[in-house]
């Protein structure tokens, strides 16, 4: 191994270590003291409940662990958005589990909590995946009610989705393991089966204090909406459980009897490990997003046996399009090539292509490849590391906008499931063309090296400072070189912070930040869940024919 490899490896391991340290803190939710308070009440924490529920030693993928990261400082923060969401296996059945974290503001819903819950339901609906709710929430976080209550993608959308999933035949199971208040009380009752834990679970539209204020009735919460009331009198819940463990065991027993599902039929054979060591990805990926590397080296350490069949290898070389297998699943990979390549052009010249830039021929090739994958019913995997489309007079005259539109059109109308891995840069229109969040990937994750923005920090800072300097000069103010440098550094620092994977993950622009070594698992679990949902739409690229 050379010095550059070792330097890159050290940089990647440091980034992963920083990620894991942040996750350790996030996993504590509202803190150790609040977790201990739950124990005193005879309750498990949200993460303990999920660990108990999921099959031991089975694969799992946490969605949105960094949701809310460094957001709401004036409200004390909202670790993981106040809700833990895990895709995993219960009695051998793949499910998505949504567990309120009662250590974070009593499980109250912040705006990001609503967004995260809606993302979980979106995953369940797209993939016809059973969803299990472990309810322990005080309802809407009142100081921010205007940002979570009234709009289309707010709190009420949850119950609308409950109804839609019911009509789709998607199994929903709710366990009331703590508070379930006000509008939130509808969620368990709109599920297919609901259970409640005796003495700790409660369901009511209005608690005892509000009942007294509203109608003058004196009543305690347990009598008003506890397990005895709802299992023996109202019939609101279906099972009365003695404690958290009993409740979670009942869910496992129910799931063990659920029948098989109709499959989409994606091709899978026995899995084979990559031929080259995936850990070498750490040393291959540069320590700076401005440096070049060969994306083939990444792909060969990601796919089964290191083998892949490349489509139009010698054409449009700034995008790699290739057929491969990941954990046995057939996939079509669309990846940005970051190595500078020399390709034959229509004018019969050998022209250098900048690494990480999308050219007309590459966009045309990728559009055709996506169409082929749709015809063959092969899921698509996008490996993003691009700064954007090529600019300049030659590109504009060559129809870069037209070819870019073809790629976006082919990708947006894809009916096979899409999975996006943000390896490095995800800038501007390249984010869109390579299946960014706006284009409905079933899962979108980033490595610790990911950068998501309109453009890089230094480029954005130069543009913004030029505008600001011109404005100040127009107002008659003289700008010294030192002042201009100060403006540049201040702007760049702010912009760089907004391009980090943590900024993207906190706002759920990506579903998770993962160790590169987790990539095969995430894609495999993603295709398995997508296989729950047969393709019913016909692929049509629309008005922009390729």
């Amino acid at each position: 191994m050379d010095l550059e490899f070792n330097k890159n490896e050290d940089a990647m391991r440091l980034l992963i270590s920083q990620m894991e340290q942040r996750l350790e803190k996030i996993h504590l939710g509202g803190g150790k003291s609040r977790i201990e308070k739950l124990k005193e009440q005879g309750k498990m924490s949200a993460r303990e409940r999920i660990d108990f529920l999921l099959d031991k030693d089975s694969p799992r993928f946490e969605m949105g662990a960094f949701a809310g990261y460094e957001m709401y400082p004036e409200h004390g923060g909202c670790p993981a958005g106040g809700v833990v969401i895990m895709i995993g296996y219960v009695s051998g059945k793949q499910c998505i589990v949504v567990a309120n974290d009662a250590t974070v503001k009593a499980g109250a819903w912040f705006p990001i909590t609503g967004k995260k819950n809606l993302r979980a339901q979106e995953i369940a609906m797209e993939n016809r995946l059973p969803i299990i709710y472990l309810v322990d929430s005080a309802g809407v976080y009142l100081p921010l009610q205007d940002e979570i209550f009234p709009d289309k993608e707010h709190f009420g959308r949850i119950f609308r989705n409950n109804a839609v999933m019911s009509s789709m035949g998607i199994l929903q199971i709710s366990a009331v393991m703590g508070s379930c208040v006000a509008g939130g009380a509808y969620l368990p009752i709109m599920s297919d089966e609901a259970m409640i834990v005796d003495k700790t679970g409660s369901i009511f539209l209005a608690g005892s204090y509000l009942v007294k204020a509203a109608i003058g009735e004196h009543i305690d919460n347990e009598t008003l909406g506890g397990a005895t009331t709802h299992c023996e009198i109202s019939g609101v819940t279906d099972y009365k459980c003695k404690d958290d463990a009993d409740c979670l065991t009942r869910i496992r027993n129910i799931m063990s009897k659920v029948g098989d599902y109709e499959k989409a039929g994606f091709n899978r054979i026995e899995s084979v490990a990559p031929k080259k060591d995936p850990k070498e990805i750490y040393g291959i990926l540069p320590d700076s997003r401005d440096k070049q590397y060969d994306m083939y080296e990444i792909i060969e350490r990601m796919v089964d046996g290191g083998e892949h069949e490349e489509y139009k290898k010698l054409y449009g070389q700034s995008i790699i399009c290739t057929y491969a297998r990941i954990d046995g699943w057939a996939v079509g990979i669309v990846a940005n090539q970051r190595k500078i390549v020399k390709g034959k052009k229509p004018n019969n010249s050998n022209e250098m292509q900048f690494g990480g830039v999308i050219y007309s021929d590459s966009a045309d090739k990728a559009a055709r490849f996506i169409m082929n994958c749709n015809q063959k019913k092969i899921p698509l995997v996008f490996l993003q590391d691009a700064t954007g489309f090529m600019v300049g007079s030659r590109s504009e005259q060559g129809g870069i906008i037209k070819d870019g539109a073809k790629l976006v059109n082919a990708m947006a109308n894809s009916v096979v499931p899409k999975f996006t891995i943000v390896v490095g840069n995800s800038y501007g229109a390249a984010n869109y063309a390579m299946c960014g969040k706006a284009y409905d990937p079933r899962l979108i994750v980033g490595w610790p090296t990911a950068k998501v923005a309109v453009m890089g920090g230094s480029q954005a800072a130069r543009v913004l400072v030029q505008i600001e300097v011109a404005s100040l000069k127009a107002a008659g103010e003289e700008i010294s070189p030192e002042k201009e440098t100060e403006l540049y550094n201040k702007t760049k620092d702010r912009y760089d912070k907004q391009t980090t994977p943590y900024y993207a993950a906190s706002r759920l622009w990506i579903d998770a930040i993962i160790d590169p070594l987790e990539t095969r698992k995430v894609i495999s679990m993603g295709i398995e869940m997508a296989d729950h949902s047969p393709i019913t739409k016909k692929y049509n690229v629309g008005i922009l024919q390729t």
Side-chain angles (χ1 to χ4, degrees):
M1 300 298 175
D2 60 20
L3 186 62
E4 191 68 22
F5 183 98
N6 292 334
K7 183 181 175 184
N8 293 340
E9 184 179 37
D10 289 344
M12 177 62 86
R13 289 189 182 279
L14 177 61
L15 289 174
I16 292 169
S17 175
Q18 291 170 344
M19 177 186 75
E20 289 173 344
Q21 289 171 19
R22 288 171 172 142
L23 281 173
E24 281 181 17
K25 187 174 181 182
I26 287 169
H27 289 173
L28 292 174
K32 291 182 179 179
S33 61
R34 290 182 181 170
I35 292 174
E36 288 304 316
K37 189 174 180 181
L38 285 184
K39 301 286 180 62
E40 291 169 8
Q41 297 169 356
K43 297 163 69 173
M44 299 178 184
S45 70
R47 293 182 182 277
E48 288 172 333
R49 287 167 175 167
I50 290 175
D51 284 340
F52 189 100
L53 179 63
L54 296 182
D55 297 347
K56 303 306 177 198
D57 301 320
S58 63
R60 59 189 65 183
F61 167 64
E62 182 172 356
M63 195 283 291
F66 284 101
Y69 180 72
E70 294 187 338
M71 294 172 68
Y72 315 113
E74 66 278 19
H75 297 278
C78 188
V83 61
V84 183
I85 296 176
M86 198 82 68
I87 299 170
Y89 300 84
V90 179
S91 298
K93 306 291 193 306
Q94 195 179 35
C95 308
I96 185 163
V97 183
V98 179
N100 300 116
D101 187 347
T103 69
V104 180
K105 293 290 192 295
W109 287 53
F110 281 67
I112 196 64
T113 317
K115 186 173 183 179
K116 186 171 173 179
N117 275 269
L118 288 170
R119 175 61 178 148
Q121 290 185 320
E122 179 183 41
I123 290 170
M125 287 189 285
E126 281 183 328
N127 301 286
R128 305 186 76 87
L129 202 62
I131 185 165
I132 298 168
Y133 307 98
L134 306 181
V135 184
D136 195 345
S137 172
V140 166
Y141 183 61
L142 292 178
L144 297 174
Q145 66 84 26
D146 62 321
E147 298 178 43
I148 179 61
F149 171 69
D151 209 347
K152 180 179 177 180
E153 300 296 331
H154 281 177
F155 193 68
R157 190 76 173 182
I158 301 292
F159 315 125
R160 175 264 185 194
N161 288 349
N162 288 142
V164 170
M165 282 190 280
S166 180
S167 72
M168 294 172 67
I170 298 170
L171 177 61
Q172 300 175 82
I173 298 174
S174 287
V176 179
M177 310 180 80
S179 296
C180 186
V181 184
Y186 288 105
L187 185 147
I189 315 313
M190 296 187 75
S191 299
D192 298 291
E193 299 199 59
M195 52 200 70
I196 185 169
V197 178
D198 194 23
K199 300 297 186 287
T200 56
S202 58
I203 309 173
F204 35 66
L205 294 180
S208 56
Y209 292 119
L210 185 54
V211 166
K212 181 179 178 182
I215 63 173
E217 181 182 1
H218 294 269
I219 191 170
D220 63 90
N221 283 339
E222 181 63 26
T223 306
L224 182 66
T228 299
T229 295
H230 287 310
C231 288
E232 300 179 24
I233 302 172
S234 72
V236 162
T237 49
D238 307 313
Y239 305 92
K240 184 178 182 180
C241 308
K242 64 180 181 180
D243 55 24
D244 281 9
D246 180 39
C247 183
L248 297 166
T249 300
R250 284 172 185 256
I251 296 174
R252 289 186 55 80
N253 291 340
I254 290 170
M255 290 302 302
S256 71
K257 298 171 181 67
V258 173
D260 205 355
Y261 52 89
E262 183 184 356
K263 295 178 175 62
F266 302 122
N267 185 279
R268 191 182 198 185
I269 61 174
E270 187 176 348
S271 177
V272 177
K275 188 174 181 179
K276 297 180 179 179
D277 188 355
K279 290 181 180 178
E280 291 175 357
I281 290 173
Y282 292 175
I284 293 167
L285 206 65
D287 61 346
S288 168
R289 299 280 51 79
D290 299 327
K291 294 181 180 179
Q292 305 296 313
Y293 65 95
D294 191 348
M295 183 60 85
Y296 287 106
E297 296 290 333
I298 302 293
I299 292 171
E300 288 169 4
R301 287 160 178 80
M302 190 179 294
V303 302
D304 289 14
E307 297 176 355
H308 58 100
E309 299 288 335
E310 189 167 358
Y311 175 78
K312 291 184 181 290
K313 181 176 182 177
L314 302 178
Y315 177 73
Q317 295 179 64
S318 72
I319 290 184
I320 300 167
C321 297
T322 192
Y323 300 105
R325 289 190 182 273
I326 292 178
D327 196 24
W329 294 103
V331 297
I333 296 174
V334 181
N336 301 116
Q337 172 59 295
R338 285 304 308 268
K339 184 179 179 181
I340 295 176
V341 295
K342 184 180 285 189
K344 211 72 164 167
K345 295 296 157 192
N347 60 7
N348 208 32
S349 66
N350 280 325
E351 182 181 306
M352 284 291 188
Q353 294 196 350
F354 295 103
V357 178
I358 300 176
Y359 290 76
S360 286
D361 52 358
S362 301
D364 174 68
K365 176 176 79 170
R368 293 174 185 275
F369 180 72
I370 289 167
M371 293 173 68
N372 288 349
C373 287
N374 274 269
Q375 185 183 44
K376 298 179 179 73
K377 202 159 77 169
I378 299 174
L380 287 158
V381 174
F382 292 83
L383 302 180
Q384 286 193 2
D385 194 349
T387 52
F389 283 82
M390 190 59 189
V391 297
S393 60
R394 181 178 294 182
S395 292
E396 297 295 355
Q397 291 167 13
I400 186 69
I401 295 175
K402 173 173 61 71
D403 289 319
K406 287 179 182 177
L407 173 54
V408 169
N409 191 29
M411 183 272 301
N413 284 296
S414 175
V415 297
V416 296
K418 302 175 295 229
F419 301 90
T420 302
I421 315 298
V422 185
V423 172
N425 298 326
S426 179
Y427 292 158
N431 170 278
Y432 298 159
M434 292 293 292
C435 196
K437 184 65 180 290
Y439 292 85
D440 299 322
R442 299 294 176 99
L443 292 174
I444 176 170
V445 299
W447 290 357
T449 46
K451 300 278 187 182
V452 183
V454 171
M455 63 181 73
S458 57
Q459 298 97 314
R462 280 196 293 268
V463 172
L464 293 170
V465 167
Q466 284 175 14
I467 293 170
E468 188 167 352
V469 167
S471 177
L472 291 170
K473 285 182 176 179
E477 187 174 335
E478 285 296 320
I479 304 297
S480 66
E482 293 78 15
K483 178 66 174 176
E484 191 169 333
T485 299
E486 182 186 338
L487 280 172
Y488 171 81
N489 290 334
K490 183 179 178 182
T491 305
K492 184 178 181 298
D493 288 346
R494 186 183 77 247
Y495 206 88
D496 282 344
K497 183 180 179 182
Q498 293 175 357
T499 66
T500 69
Y502 298 101
Y503 195 89
S506 69
R507 289 151 180 81
L508 291 174
W509 301 345
I510 56 177
D511 292 318
I513 306 170
I514 65 168
D515 184 325
L517 302 184
E518 296 281 290
T519 305
R520 277 173 56 87
K521 181 192 78 173
V522 170
I523 293 171
S524 178
M525 288 184 69
I527 298 175
E528 182 183 346
M529 74 181 189
D531 203 35
H532 284 77
S533 183
I535 296 171
T536 57
K537 292 182 180 179
K538 184 178 179 181
Y539 183 60
N540 191 329
V541 294
I543 59 171
L544 288 171
Q545 300 300 317
T546 59

